[in-house]
Amino acid sequence: MAYDPSAIEPRWQRYWDEHGTFRTPDSSDRPKYYVLDMFPYPSGQGLHVGHPEGYTATDILARYKRMRGFNVLHPMGWDAFGLPAENYAVRTGTHPAITTRRNIETFKRQLKMFGFSYDWEREIATTHPEYYRWTQWIFTLLYRQGLAYEAEVPVNWCPELGTVLANEEVTDGKSEIGGHPVIRKPMKQWMLRITAYAERLLADLEGLDWPESIKDLQRNWIGRSEGAEVDFPVVGSGRKLRIFTTRPDTMFGATYMVISPEHPWVDELATAGARQSVAAYRAESAAKSDRDRQTAKEKTGVFTGTYCRNPANGQRIPIWVADYVMMGYGTGAIMAVPGQDERDWEFAEVHGLPIVRTVQPPTDFTGKAYVGDGPAINSGFLDGLGVAEAKERMTAWVEAQGVGERKINYKLRDWLFSRQRYWGEPFPLLKLADGTVRVLEPDELPLMLPQVDTYKPAGTGEGPLATIADWIHTTDPVTGQTASRESNTMPQWAGSCWYYLRFVDPRNRQRAWDPDRERYWLPVDLYLGGTEHAVLHLLYARFWHKVLYDLGLVSTNEPFQCLRNQGMILGENGEKMSKSRGNVVNPDDVIADHGADALRMFLMFLGPLDRDKPWNPRGIEGLHRFLDRVWRLFCDEGETLSARVQDVAPDDASLRALHRCIADVTERTEKLNFNTAISAMMILVNELTQRDARPRAVLEPCVLLLAPYAPHLAEELWRLLGHGESLAYAPWPRSDERYLVQATVTYVVQINGKVRERLEAPADAGEDEVRALALASERVQKWLEGKQVRKTVFVPGKLVGLVVG
RNA sequence: GCCGGGAUGGCGAAACUGGUAGACGCAGGGGACUUAAAAUCCCCCGCUACGUCGUAGCGUGCCGGUUCGACUCCGGCUCCCGGCACCA
């Protein structure tokens, strides 16, 4: 009987389903382990081999942890709201719910073919009303906490398409679809006040077991900077222009001011003579996209005709308008210090403004603006102080004078939470006739998505929901007022912000989750996904989680204790897999040819989990061959076990190989070093293949080691060995120290650092003994001829080094 | 420009805290079995030179340093990938 995955695999998949093998109890004496994949968006393309890489990794860990005695929560669901289904609906008129259901079926069928040990009874979809009901509920919590508000903010408006686009849909100022121009247009939008949590989102990264690079991405995104806000009195008016600076120490060098073209005081500050040029400049920069502004070669700007007084030295300095200052950061106004700021220097050069150095550059400094450390100069009471000290002194002075205060700023902006879309969660609120907003009570949820005739945008910048008058306009049953609903829907991020919580209690109809279950399962012990979600998803989910924590609704401060990234599986040509590149590999085909077990193992064998790796069509054959070899260890021609598999005492060499393998596979699986765990198994199988005797005491642990990696084959072999039950909960083999220690070891002899000889020595030999052996070697003596040994280096079990001269 | 990550045979890769570079696999070569092929099993496989086993030299992107000894540590570069980008 030959190894036939196409027969074995569906049989075991059916077995697991029928026996509920992976159904997870919600309480248990066992320690818990929550291992979670970033759930997928079920696209119409189906899976390519890249998707299951991470899922295989988590599945190996889930299966391994079960065998180690953990109660494992390993669920899967669907992040199913989103644009592709909606765009498809616009083209074809098919309701996104239908497309979504169809895509989910395909994804699920494909995932099942891999034999992943998900508890499918916990499957959820963000688009299901019983799910988004609670997404809406969380929004009402945010609203009541004052963390959701409406504001006029610029959005990506595409006149040609008659719609607003998400940032992802805009490249180089053109729409992704059709390449039409996109402009910024202010519209009323719901915002979430994530900035209120900036400090905690930053500080709490410290305690997380995440890749340092991901933490860095989040730190940079949050962009904390310390400095001061200072008021500069406007000459000839009672007003004070407030600026933010991280370099208060350089204030004596502030030779002019700049305000952003969007600054509310632009009109007012422009004198009669300057009014026209200022207005023209403002119109000009409004027409520029963000991108144009950034790529401009030369810094532009115009003088307002008005002056400020520098509080540090009382000097009168001009106020300019320039678009290198952004309204969205700080106060939208700066003090320009060309001596210590490259941008200000550049601007000062172009517009002939004075430059004063207030930090002494080193003597060999040849550049323009000097941003490094050095003693303060031309700075009155700060002269001679280093940058840090001068900052501190100046900030204290500013506060003492009452002209400003210490201030911390963040790059992080509030989260634009509205989408002009159909296929998303409707906002659970009513805008009442009296101008107030009433968020819906839990028993009024879910606010269902209504049926629409067309999925096309309204053309006014509003989403398709705006066109359904009888849904938009309603009467509030509570207050009796006429009311209107929000025509925007929530972004796709919303549903993925809390799905890990719903998995602990996915069928609860009374509440979003049961507190006891949450306390039992949270936090997630291993969260695995791609780096593309390094910032947005992970930051948004952490934000919601902290709000829930503050409300006492979750018991942990952070949702994901341990995070790891999987790399990408690239096409054969080393490029990203995509339909347009024609290098997509379909797992259905690979499984048909080689089986799911071979594919799982190959995906893991390709290289380290977190690296990008190109697909190699020949490589899969190697893993198929390996599993074939495993099979032949157990079975030859017959329908049953080979006669060579016997209850005999194993020989020493087999036991050594086995225990070495147990130790290696265990350690490497724990560390997620799956590629080297697999090579450890290959070494064992190669060793056993060469032997005639197949002692059961060696083969059984061997099957268990393989089980997390190639579960179908392992189950089948386990059955052939006479076991009546699945091995999913069989105890993981333990390695025995006795078989790991060697009687003799190979020593290398280095002479002046170069390997000149290898020799066997007893494992417990001491330095003198090994050195004597080395010196006795003919080859070593040849290298020592006419020289003296000046020093000996001894590394137990490894090497003797002789330094001669 | 700034912040990450990477570079090791023909290819994917391994090497725990400085101590045998290339485990394991792919591709390639040779042999056994076979009428033959496939499959399987065994052996070889970094480069160069002399060459029979072998011996020596070189070799982990580049240049330099520390060390008896460096893929590993330090300084300076090059190229590739990802992220951010006039954030004051």
Side-chain angles (χ1 to χ4, degrees), chain A residues 53 566-568 608-613:
Chain A
E53 188 201 2
Q566 88 258 10
M568 259 185 305
L609 182 62
D610 59 356
R611 285 240 273 273
D612 292 348
K613 306 155 280 253

mmCIF file with all atom_site columns, all heavy atoms in Angstrom, chain A residues 53 566-568 608-613, chain B residues 6-7 13-14:
data_model
loop_
_atom_site.group_PDB
_atom_site.id
_atom_site.type_symbol
_atom_site.label_atom_id
_atom_site.label_alt_id
_atom_site.label_comp_id
_atom_site.label_asym_id
_atom_site.label_entity_id
_atom_site.label_seq_id
_atom_site.pdbx_PDB_ins_code
_atom_site.Cartn_x
_atom_site.Cartn_y
_atom_site.Cartn_z
_atom_site.occupancy
_atom_site.B_iso_or_equiv
_atom_site.pdbx_formal_charge
_atom_site.auth_seq_id
_atom_site.auth_comp_id
_atom_site.auth_asym_id
_atom_site.auth_atom_id
_atom_site.pdbx_PDB_model_num
ATOM 1   N N     . GLU A 1 53  ? 0.380  30.070 4.950  1.00 0.00 ? 53  GLU A N     1
ATOM 2   C CA    . GLU A 1 53  ? 1.661  29.967 5.633  1.00 0.00 ? 53  GLU A CA    1
ATOM 3   C C     . GLU A 1 53  ? 1.495  30.253 7.123  1.00 0.00 ? 53  GLU A C     1
ATOM 4   O O     . GLU A 1 53  ? 1.880  29.457 7.975  1.00 0.00 ? 53  GLU A O     1
ATOM 5   C CB    . GLU A 1 53  ? 2.675  30.945 5.039  1.00 0.00 ? 53  GLU A CB    1
ATOM 6   C CG    . GLU A 1 53  ? 4.063  30.719 5.595  1.00 0.00 ? 53  GLU A CG    1
ATOM 7   C CD    . GLU A 1 53  ? 4.985  31.911 5.448  1.00 0.00 ? 53  GLU A CD    1
ATOM 8   O OE1   . GLU A 1 53  ? 4.569  32.955 4.939  1.00 0.00 ? 53  GLU A OE1   1
ATOM 9   O OE2   . GLU A 1 53  ? 6.149  31.788 5.871  1.00 0.00 ? 53  GLU A OE2   1
ATOM 10  N N     . GLN A 1 566 ? 4.395  36.663 9.935  1.00 0.00 ? 566 GLN A N     1
ATOM 11  C CA    . GLN A 1 566 ? 4.880  35.733 8.922  1.00 0.00 ? 566 GLN A CA    1
ATOM 12  C C     . GLN A 1 566 ? 5.316  36.553 7.724  1.00 0.00 ? 566 GLN A C     1
ATOM 13  O O     . GLN A 1 566 ? 4.810  37.648 7.507  1.00 0.00 ? 566 GLN A O     1
ATOM 14  C CB    . GLN A 1 566 ? 3.827  34.694 8.524  1.00 0.00 ? 566 GLN A CB    1
ATOM 15  C CG    . GLN A 1 566 ? 2.903  35.091 7.409  1.00 0.00 ? 566 GLN A CG    1
ATOM 16  C CD    . GLN A 1 566 ? 1.542  35.514 7.933  1.00 0.00 ? 566 GLN A CD    1
ATOM 17  O OE1   . GLN A 1 566 ? 1.342  35.679 9.120  1.00 0.00 ? 566 GLN A OE1   1
ATOM 18  N NE2   . GLN A 1 566 ? 0.595  35.700 7.036  1.00 0.00 ? 566 GLN A NE2   1
ATOM 19  N N     . GLY A 1 567 ? 6.286  36.014 6.972  1.00 0.00 ? 567 GLY A N     1
ATOM 20  C CA    . GLY A 1 567 ? 6.724  36.709 5.768  1.00 0.00 ? 567 GLY A CA    1
ATOM 21  C C     . GLY A 1 567 ? 5.751  36.421 4.639  1.00 0.00 ? 567 GLY A C     1
ATOM 22  O O     . GLY A 1 567 ? 4.688  35.847 4.844  1.00 0.00 ? 567 GLY A O     1
ATOM 23  N N     . MET A 1 568 ? 6.139  36.821 3.455  1.00 0.00 ? 568 MET A N     1
ATOM 24  C CA    . MET A 1 568 ? 5.287  36.548 2.305  1.00 0.00 ? 568 MET A CA    1
ATOM 25  C C     . MET A 1 568 ? 5.863  35.387 1.505  1.00 0.00 ? 568 MET A C     1
ATOM 26  O O     . MET A 1 568 ? 7.069  35.236 1.427  1.00 0.00 ? 568 MET A O     1
ATOM 27  C CB    . MET A 1 568 ? 5.257  37.776 1.399  1.00 0.00 ? 568 MET A CB    1
ATOM 28  C CG    . MET A 1 568 ? 4.018  38.597 1.554  1.00 0.00 ? 568 MET A CG    1
ATOM 29  S SD    . MET A 1 568 ? 4.002  39.926 0.367  1.00 0.00 ? 568 MET A SD    1
ATOM 30  C CE    . MET A 1 568 ? 5.545  40.768 0.670  1.00 0.00 ? 568 MET A CE    1
ATOM 31  N N     . PRO A 1 608 ? 12.801 30.661 7.466  1.00 0.00 ? 608 PRO A N     1
ATOM 32  C CA    . PRO A 1 608 ? 12.257 31.205 8.707  1.00 0.00 ? 608 PRO A CA    1
ATOM 33  C C     . PRO A 1 608 ? 10.884 31.834 8.474  1.00 0.00 ? 608 PRO A C     1
ATOM 34  O O     . PRO A 1 608 ? 10.662 32.482 7.447  1.00 0.00 ? 608 PRO A O     1
ATOM 35  C CB    . PRO A 1 608 ? 13.274 32.276 9.105  1.00 0.00 ? 608 PRO A CB    1
ATOM 36  C CG    . PRO A 1 608 ? 14.522 31.931 8.389  1.00 0.00 ? 608 PRO A CG    1
ATOM 37  C CD    . PRO A 1 608 ? 14.106 31.254 7.124  1.00 0.00 ? 608 PRO A CD    1
ATOM 38  N N     . LEU A 1 609 ? 10.012 31.652 9.444  1.00 0.00 ? 609 LEU A N     1
ATOM 39  C CA    . LEU A 1 609 ? 8.627  32.087 9.320  1.00 0.00 ? 609 LEU A CA    1
ATOM 40  C C     . LEU A 1 609 ? 8.501  33.559 8.950  1.00 0.00 ? 609 LEU A C     1
ATOM 41  O O     . LEU A 1 609 ? 7.680  33.929 8.109  1.00 0.00 ? 609 LEU A O     1
ATOM 42  C CB    . LEU A 1 609 ? 7.913  31.824 10.663 1.00 0.00 ? 609 LEU A CB    1
ATOM 43  C CG    . LEU A 1 609 ? 6.434  32.168 10.733 1.00 0.00 ? 609 LEU A CG    1
ATOM 44  C CD1   . LEU A 1 609 ? 5.646  31.327 9.752  1.00 0.00 ? 609 LEU A CD1   1
ATOM 45  C CD2   . LEU A 1 609 ? 5.910  31.990 12.146 1.00 0.00 ? 609 LEU A CD2   1
ATOM 46  N N     . ASP A 1 610 ? 9.326  34.411 9.556  1.00 0.00 ? 610 ASP A N     1
ATOM 47  C CA    . ASP A 1 610 ? 9.096  35.843 9.388  1.00 0.00 ? 610 ASP A CA    1
ATOM 48  C C     . ASP A 1 610 ? 9.742  36.430 8.130  1.00 0.00 ? 610 ASP A C     1
ATOM 49  O O     . ASP A 1 610 ? 9.642  37.621 7.892  1.00 0.00 ? 610 ASP A O     1
ATOM 50  C CB    . ASP A 1 610 ? 9.574  36.602 10.639 1.00 0.00 ? 610 ASP A CB    1
ATOM 51  C CG    . ASP A 1 610 ? 11.048 36.370 10.924 1.00 0.00 ? 610 ASP A CG    1
ATOM 52  O OD1   . ASP A 1 610 ? 11.684 35.570 10.196 1.00 0.00 ? 610 ASP A OD1   1
ATOM 53  O OD2   . ASP A 1 610 ? 11.568 36.982 11.874 1.00 0.00 ? 610 ASP A OD2   1
ATOM 54  N N     . ARG A 1 611 ? 10.377 35.592 7.335  1.00 0.00 ? 611 ARG A N     1
ATOM 55  C CA    . ARG A 1 611 ? 11.033 36.127 6.133  1.00 0.00 ? 611 ARG A CA    1
ATOM 56  C C     . ARG A 1 611 ? 10.188 35.898 4.878  1.00 0.00 ? 611 ARG A C     1
ATOM 57  O O     . ARG A 1 611 ? 9.413  34.966 4.796  1.00 0.00 ? 611 ARG A O     1
ATOM 58  C CB    . ARG A 1 611 ? 12.377 35.438 5.949  1.00 0.00 ? 611 ARG A CB    1
ATOM 59  C CG    . ARG A 1 611 ? 13.417 35.946 6.922  1.00 0.00 ? 611 ARG A CG    1
ATOM 60  C CD    . ARG A 1 611 ? 14.598 36.559 6.204  1.00 0.00 ? 611 ARG A CD    1
ATOM 61  N NE    . ARG A 1 611 ? 15.587 35.558 5.859  1.00 0.00 ? 611 ARG A NE    1
ATOM 62  C CZ    . ARG A 1 611 ? 16.564 35.160 6.676  1.00 0.00 ? 611 ARG A CZ    1
ATOM 63  N NH1   . ARG A 1 611 ? 16.650 35.637 7.898  1.00 0.00 ? 611 ARG A NH1   1
ATOM 64  N NH2   . ARG A 1 611 ? 17.441 34.283 6.279  1.00 0.00 ? 611 ARG A NH2   1
ATOM 65  N N     . ASP A 1 612 ? 10.419 36.730 3.876  1.00 0.00 ? 612 ASP A N     1
ATOM 66  C CA    . ASP A 1 612 ? 9.802  36.504 2.572  1.00 0.00 ? 612 ASP A CA    1
ATOM 67  C C     . ASP A 1 612 ? 10.580 35.408 1.870  1.00 0.00 ? 612 ASP A C     1
ATOM 68  O O     . ASP A 1 612 ? 11.803 35.390 1.912  1.00 0.00 ? 612 ASP A O     1
ATOM 69  C CB    . ASP A 1 612 ? 9.867  37.779 1.721  1.00 0.00 ? 612 ASP A CB    1
ATOM 70  C CG    . ASP A 1 612 ? 8.997  38.888 2.276  1.00 0.00 ? 612 ASP A CG    1
ATOM 71  O OD1   . ASP A 1 612 ? 8.182  38.593 3.172  1.00 0.00 ? 612 ASP A OD1   1
ATOM 72  O OD2   . ASP A 1 612 ? 9.125  40.031 1.818  1.00 0.00 ? 612 ASP A OD2   1
ATOM 73  N N     . LYS A 1 613 ? 9.850  34.486 1.221  1.00 0.00 ? 613 LYS A N     1
ATOM 74  C CA    . LYS A 1 613 ? 10.508 33.339 0.607  1.00 0.00 ? 613 LYS A CA    1
ATOM 75  C C     . LYS A 1 613 ? 9.867  33.033 -0.728 1.00 0.00 ? 613 LYS A C     1
ATOM 76  O O     . LYS A 1 613 ? 8.643  33.003 -0.820 1.00 0.00 ? 613 LYS A O     1
ATOM 77  C CB    . LYS A 1 613 ? 10.343 32.095 1.502  1.00 0.00 ? 613 LYS A CB    1
ATOM 78  C CG    . LYS A 1 613 ? 10.807 32.286 2.917  1.00 0.00 ? 613 LYS A CG    1
ATOM 79  C CD    . LYS A 1 613 ? 10.114 31.338 3.871  1.00 0.00 ? 613 LYS A CD    1
ATOM 80  C CE    . LYS A 1 613 ? 8.737  31.827 4.243  1.00 0.00 ? 613 LYS A CE    1
ATOM 81  N NZ    . LYS A 1 613 ? 8.662  32.343 5.620  1.00 0.00 ? 613 LYS A NZ    1
ATOM 82  P P     . G   B 2 6   ? 18.092 41.252 10.088 1.00 0.00 ? 6   G   B P     1
ATOM 83  O OP1   . G   B 2 6   ? 18.103 39.950 10.787 1.00 0.00 ? 6   G   B OP1   1
ATOM 84  O OP2   . G   B 2 6   ? 18.980 42.342 10.527 1.00 0.00 ? 6   G   B OP2   1
ATOM 85  O "O5'" . G   B 2 6   ? 18.340 41.015 8.534  1.00 0.00 ? 6   G   B "O5'" 1
ATOM 86  C "C5'" . G   B 2 6   ? 17.708 39.929 7.866  1.00 0.00 ? 6   G   B "C5'" 1
ATOM 87  C "C4'" . G   B 2 6   ? 17.863 40.067 6.380  1.00 0.00 ? 6   G   B "C4'" 1
ATOM 88  O "O4'" . G   B 2 6   ? 17.583 41.417 5.958  1.00 0.00 ? 6   G   B "O4'" 1
ATOM 89  C "C3'" . G   B 2 6   ? 19.249 39.823 5.824  1.00 0.00 ? 6   G   B "C3'" 1
ATOM 90  O "O3'" . G   B 2 6   ? 19.528 38.439 5.745  1.00 0.00 ? 6   G   B "O3'" 1
ATOM 91  C "C2'" . G   B 2 6   ? 19.147 40.466 4.444  1.00 0.00 ? 6   G   B "C2'" 1
ATOM 92  O "O2'" . G   B 2 6   ? 18.427 39.654 3.546  1.00 0.00 ? 6   G   B "O2'" 1
ATOM 93  C "C1'" . G   B 2 6   ? 18.297 41.695 4.766  1.00 0.00 ? 6   G   B "C1'" 1
ATOM 94  N N9    . G   B 2 6   ? 19.117 42.906 4.949  1.00 0.00 ? 6   G   B N9    1
ATOM 95  C C8    . G   B 2 6   ? 19.352 43.588 6.121  1.00 0.00 ? 6   G   B C8    1
ATOM 96  N N7    . G   B 2 6   ? 20.114 44.645 5.952  1.00 0.00 ? 6   G   B N7    1
ATOM 97  C C5    . G   B 2 6   ? 20.399 44.644 4.590  1.00 0.00 ? 6   G   B C5    1
ATOM 98  C C6    . G   B 2 6   ? 21.167 45.540 3.813  1.00 0.00 ? 6   G   B C6    1
ATOM 99  O O6    . G   B 2 6   ? 21.777 46.544 4.183  1.00 0.00 ? 6   G   B O6    1
ATOM 100 N N1    . G   B 2 6   ? 21.188 45.174 2.466  1.00 0.00 ? 6   G   B N1    1
ATOM 101 C C2    . G   B 2 6   ? 20.553 44.084 1.944  1.00 0.00 ? 6   G   B C2    1
ATOM 102 N N2    . G   B 2 6   ? 20.692 43.886 0.623  1.00 0.00 ? 6   G   B N2    1
ATOM 103 N N3    . G   B 2 6   ? 19.824 43.237 2.656  1.00 0.00 ? 6   G   B N3    1
ATOM 104 C C4    . G   B 2 6   ? 19.790 43.579 3.959  1.00 0.00 ? 6   G   B C4    1
ATOM 105 P P     . A   B 2 7   ? 21.072 37.926 5.891  1.00 0.00 ? 7   A   B P     1
ATOM 106 O OP1   . A   B 2 7   ? 21.032 36.478 6.097  1.00 0.00 ? 7   A   B OP1   1
ATOM 107 O OP2   . A   B 2 7   ? 21.835 38.796 6.818  1.00 0.00 ? 7   A   B OP2   1
ATOM 108 O "O5'" . A   B 2 7   ? 21.623 38.219 4.424  1.00 0.00 ? 7   A   B "O5'" 1
ATOM 109 C "C5'" . A   B 2 7   ? 20.991 37.605 3.298  1.00 0.00 ? 7   A   B "C5'" 1
ATOM 110 C "C4'" . A   B 2 7   ? 21.632 38.125 2.027  1.00 0.00 ? 7   A   B "C4'" 1
ATOM 111 O "O4'" . A   B 2 7   ? 21.630 39.556 2.062  1.00 0.00 ? 7   A   B "O4'" 1
ATOM 112 C "C3'" . A   B 2 7   ? 23.075 37.687 1.847  1.00 0.00 ? 7   A   B "C3'" 1
ATOM 113 O "O3'" . A   B 2 7   ? 23.309 37.276 0.499  1.00 0.00 ? 7   A   B "O3'" 1
ATOM 114 C "C2'" . A   B 2 7   ? 23.883 38.927 2.176  1.00 0.00 ? 7   A   B "C2'" 1
ATOM 115 O "O2'" . A   B 2 7   ? 25.057 39.044 1.412  1.00 0.00 ? 7   A   B "O2'" 1
ATOM 116 C "C1'" . A   B 2 7   ? 22.922 40.047 1.797  1.00 0.00 ? 7   A   B "C1'" 1
ATOM 117 N N9    . A   B 2 7   ? 23.166 41.240 2.632  1.00 0.00 ? 7   A   B N9    1
ATOM 118 C C8    . A   B 2 7   ? 22.882 41.378 3.958  1.00 0.00 ? 7   A   B C8    1
ATOM 119 N N7    . A   B 2 7   ? 23.217 42.542 4.447  1.00 0.00 ? 7   A   B N7    1
ATOM 120 C C5    . A   B 2 7   ? 23.761 43.210 3.377  1.00 0.00 ? 7   A   B C5    1
ATOM 121 C C6    . A   B 2 7   ? 24.312 44.490 3.243  1.00 0.00 ? 7   A   B C6    1
ATOM 122 N N6    . A   B 2 7   ? 24.399 45.364 4.245  1.00 0.00 ? 7   A   B N6    1
ATOM 123 N N1    . A   B 2 7   ? 24.766 44.864 2.032  1.00 0.00 ? 7   A   B N1    1
ATOM 124 C C2    . A   B 2 7   ? 24.682 43.993 1.025  1.00 0.00 ? 7   A   B C2    1
ATOM 125 N N3    . A   B 2 7   ? 24.188 42.760 1.018  1.00 0.00 ? 7   A   B N3    1
ATOM 126 C C4    . A   B 2 7   ? 23.733 42.417 2.244  1.00 0.00 ? 7   A   B C4    1
ATOM 127 P P     . A   B 2 13  ? 16.044 31.857 1.684  1.00 0.00 ? 13  A   B P     1
ATOM 128 O OP1   . A   B 2 13  ? 15.082 32.887 2.047  1.00 0.00 ? 13  A   B OP1   1
ATOM 129 O OP2   . A   B 2 13  ? 17.434 32.207 1.333  1.00 0.00 ? 13  A   B OP2   1
ATOM 130 O "O5'" . A   B 2 13  ? 16.039 30.760 2.830  1.00 0.00 ? 13  A   B "O5'" 1
ATOM 131 C "C5'" . A   B 2 13  ? 17.045 30.725 3.818  1.00 0.00 ? 13  A   B "C5'" 1
ATOM 132 C "C4'" . A   B 2 13  ? 17.146 29.307 4.292  1.00 0.00 ? 13  A   B "C4'" 1
ATOM 133 O "O4'" . A   B 2 13  ? 17.784 28.514 3.259  1.00 0.00 ? 13  A   B "O4'" 1
ATOM 134 C "C3'" . A   B 2 13  ? 17.993 29.114 5.538  1.00 0.00 ? 13  A   B "C3'" 1
ATOM 135 O "O3'" . A   B 2 13  ? 17.153 29.216 6.669  1.00 0.00 ? 13  A   B "O3'" 1
ATOM 136 C "C2'" . A   B 2 13  ? 18.549 27.725 5.363  1.00 0.00 ? 13  A   B "C2'" 1
ATOM 137 O "O2'" . A   B 2 13  ? 17.600 26.738 5.722  1.00 0.00 ? 13  A   B "O2'" 1
ATOM 138 C "C1'" . A   B 2 13  ? 18.744 27.653 3.835  1.00 0.00 ? 13  A   B "C1'" 1
ATOM 139 N N9    . A   B 2 13  ? 20.071 28.092 3.398  1.00 0.00 ? 13  A   B N9    1
ATOM 140 C C8    . A   B 2 13  ? 20.380 29.180 2.619  1.00 0.00 ? 13  A   B C8    1
ATOM 141 N N7    . A   B 2 13  ? 21.657 29.307 2.366  1.00 0.00 ? 13  A   B N7    1
ATOM 142 C C5    . A   B 2 13  ? 22.229 28.235 3.018  1.00 0.00 ? 13  A   B C5    1
ATOM 143 C C6    . A   B 2 13  ? 23.555 27.797 3.142  1.00 0.00 ? 13  A   B C6    1
ATOM 144 N N6    . A   B 2 13  ? 24.590 28.421 2.578  1.00 0.00 ? 13  A   B N6    1
ATOM 145 N N1    . A   B 2 13  ? 23.787 26.685 3.864  1.00 0.00 ? 13  A   B N1    1
ATOM 146 C C2    . A   B 2 13  ? 22.747 26.059 4.426  1.00 0.00 ? 13  A   B C2    1
ATOM 147 N N3    . A   B 2 13  ? 21.459 26.367 4.386  1.00 0.00 ? 13  A   B N3    1
ATOM 148 C C4    . A   B 2 13  ? 21.270 27.475 3.658  1.00 0.00 ? 13  A   B C4    1
ATOM 149 P P     . A   B 2 14  ? 17.735 29.763 8.014  1.00 0.00 ? 14  A   B P     1
ATOM 150 O OP1   . A   B 2 14  ? 16.593 29.710 8.938  1.00 0.00 ? 14  A   B OP1   1
ATOM 151 O OP2   . A   B 2 14  ? 18.442 31.023 7.786  1.00 0.00 ? 14  A   B OP2   1
ATOM 152 O "O5'" . A   B 2 14  ? 18.828 28.664 8.413  1.00 0.00 ? 14  A   B "O5'" 1
ATOM 153 C "C5'" . A   B 2 14  ? 18.420 27.578 9.168  1.00 0.00 ? 14  A   B "C5'" 1
ATOM 154 C "C4'" . A   B 2 14  ? 19.531 26.639 9.496  1.00 0.00 ? 14  A   B "C4'" 1
ATOM 155 O "O4'" . A   B 2 14  ? 20.405 26.394 8.378  1.00 0.00 ? 14  A   B "O4'" 1
ATOM 156 C "C3'" . A   B 2 14  ? 20.486 27.085 10.572 1.00 0.00 ? 14  A   B "C3'" 1
ATOM 157 O "O3'" . A   B 2 14  ? 19.878 26.952 11.827 1.00 0.00 ? 14  A   B "O3'" 1
ATOM 158 C "C2'" . A   B 2 14  ? 21.623 26.104 10.384 1.00 0.00 ? 14  A   B "C2'" 1
ATOM 159 O "O2'" . A   B 2 14  ? 21.261 24.833 10.890 1.00 0.00 ? 14  A   B "O2'" 1
ATOM 160 C "C1'" . A   B 2 14  ? 21.667 25.983 8.862  1.00 0.00 ? 14  A   B "C1'" 1
ATOM 161 N N9    . A   B 2 14  ? 22.702 26.813 8.236  1.00 0.00 ? 14  A   B N9    1
ATOM 162 C C8    . A   B 2 14  ? 22.531 27.892 7.406  1.00 0.00 ? 14  A   B C8    1
ATOM 163 N N7    . A   B 2 14  ? 23.646 28.403 6.950  1.00 0.00 ? 14  A   B N7    1
ATOM 164 C C5    . A   B 2 14  ? 24.619 27.607 7.524  1.00 0.00 ? 14  A   B C5    1
ATOM 165 C C6    . A   B 2 14  ? 26.024 27.617 7.442  1.00 0.00 ? 14  A   B C6    1
ATOM 166 N N6    . A   B 2 14  ? 26.697 28.497 6.706  1.00 0.00 ? 14  A   B N6    1
ATOM 167 N N1    . A   B 2 14  ? 26.699 26.689 8.148  1.00 0.00 ? 14  A   B N1    1
ATOM 168 C C2    . A   B 2 14  ? 26.006 25.809 8.887  1.00 0.00 ? 14  A   B C2    1
ATOM 169 N N3    . A   B 2 14  ? 24.699 25.693 9.040  1.00 0.00 ? 14  A   B N3    1
ATOM 170 C C4    . A   B 2 14  ? 24.058 26.627 8.327  1.00 0.00 ? 14  A   B C4    1
#
